[in-house]
Amino acid sequence: MSTTSPRLSVSLAGLIAVLATAAAAAAQPGPGPRPGPPPRHGWELAAGVNGGEINCDSQDDLCDGVTEAGGLYLAATYMFSPRLGVTAETWPMVHSEDLYSFTHVVSTIGVTWRPVPVLAVRGGLGSAYARLQADVVGLDRRTENAPAVLLGAAL
């Protein structure tokens, strides 16, 4: 007479089968690493909407102190290689009220460098100017162009 019950021998056989299958599956080679993003060549275009402030002083009290402003950011980059490109950027901001409108514009041309595929570091040199318009008194003044530097990073 046997002391092992049929139920125990079936369970033991099932456990051995599961362990053998798991060991065989672990020995199989898995899929290789996922391919990274393709290298960036050619044109990249960027646009954004932003908000901030413009500090303004005037002799006739049209604009004194800090004024909120809205703006756009526009950029076009041509990547010559996966890591290096040339960029043209412009960044106008405007504040308008009933009596006047104040505009500040920065435009640059520079270099974009990608130390890793998901990070872009850029810097540019260019010019900036400001313009004040007051239609009520027929005022339309624009500053001369001034040197400008624009630095940035993007993910």
Side-chain angles (χ1 to χ4, degrees):
M1 191 164 177
S2 171
T3 59
T4 307
S5 71
R7 180 179 258 177
L8 180 61
S9 53
V10 169
S11 297
L12 185 58
L15 179 62
I16 291 172
V18 167
L19 291 175
T21 304
Q28 299 292 326
R34 289 185 177 185
R40 295 184 185 236
H41 288 90
W43 288 101
E44 295 179 2
L45 304 175
V49 176
N50 54 51
E53 62 184 45
I54 297 176
N55 292 316
C56 174
D57 292 320
S58 68
Q59 294 175 352
D60 50 9
D61 292 331
L62 277 176
C63 62
D64 284 330
V66 176
T67 56
E68 67 282 348
L72 295 174
Y73 171 79
L74 303 170
T77 301
Y78 186 81
M79 297 299 291
F80 294 107
S81 71
R83 292 187 177 250
L84 191 62
V86 64
T87 300
E89 301 174 276
T90 189
W91 181 46
M93 290 193 79
V94 177
H95 173 84
S96 292
E97 297 215 6
D98 294 336
L99 299 176
Y100 71 94
S101 176
F102 186 76
T103 306
H104 181 257
V105 179
V106 178
S107 299
T108 64
I109 294 178
V111 174
T112 294
W113 173 57
R114 289 191 181 278
V116 293
V118 297
L119 175 65
V121 179
R122 53 177 55 143
L125 299 174
S127 66
Y129 71 88
R131 182 176 182 183
L132 178 62
Q133 294 174 292
D135 294 334
V136 172
V137 293
L139 180 68
D140 189 354
R141 299 265 170 92
R142 183 182 185 277
T143 65
E144 293 182 17
N145 287 345
V149 175
L150 205 56
L151 302 172
L155 292 175

